[in-house]
Amino acid sequence: MQVLPEGFVLPPLPYLIGVLAASVLVAAALYRRRPPVTEQVVIALAPWMIVGAGLYALEQAAVIPSLFVPLASAPTVYLTMFVIAGTIITVVGHRRPEQFSFDSCPGILALTGVLALTGVLAIALLTAFRNAPVHAFWPSVAVAGALVIAGVVRLVGHRYRSLQIDLTGWAGVLVVFGHALDGLSTAVGLEFLGFGEQTPVSRLVIEFGGVWLFVLVKILIALVVVYLMADYVREEPSEGYLLLAIVTAVGLGPGAHNVILFTVVG
């Protein structure tokens, strides 16, 4: 039985050793410095999650220079983004982690991420126009749908405090948005653009109950996770928000990858 998603390949040995060594060094530095993970830090990590997703999409579209292809392929691209974002957090992690300003950790992390993301999206759009027609309608529908779902969750969570969703703040909303985007982008890719599902577990769910059941399951799981994490975030904020960041990446990364890939290659 296939466990890993299709397209997952290990890079050549020199790249593998290099990225693993860098990841271990960054992880060790983060463990030693223990920078606080706040709601603002989780939000600031979102652009870097999309950068990684975009690089993987561009690698699949064969527009990444050959020298950097091993670093942009899956699963290595996740370690590449960890090394970059982790290095930034290691250096500035203790600078006002609960504020967005030009010299705070969330501000620096978000600004560098947005700059990198601007470059990735610019290349993606240029590639899409070069391969015209641009297939941006259905990916845009997926993004809009995810935004609506996340917005409703934010409003409901704020209105009904007993649901505890509001305790996780915008980080919890980002979790729901990421997984809604993953589900909806998968749905439009399968239903309207002729793409297939690469992840074995997701493919089993789709084969069992259809693509829209998959969307519903993704959203429900995200809501349950946010609900269960609420008390943990309140009692152990740094650890709780770190887990929310990981859960966000699992949804936002694949969802953003789908949107960018569909737009580029249609």
Side-chain angles (χ1 to χ4, degrees), residues 29-38 41 88-99 103-106 108 238:
L30 287 170
Y31 181 78
R32 182 177 180 181
R33 292 182 61 83
R34 294 183 180 274
V37 182
T38 63
V41 170
I88 296 171
I89 295 175
T90 299
V91 175
V92 302
H94 289 279
R95 293 188 183 180
R96 291 183 292 283
E98 296 182 348
Q99 297 180 15
D103 60 347
S104 71
C105 174
I108 294 171
S238 195

Side-chain angles (χ1 to χ4, degrees), residues 9 34 49 61 116 135 143 148 153-154 168 184 217 236:
V9 294
R34 294 183 180 274
M49 297 176 190
H135 300 274
V143 173
V148 169
V153 168
R154 173 66 177 179
T168 60
L184 290 172
V217 168
E236 299 288 345

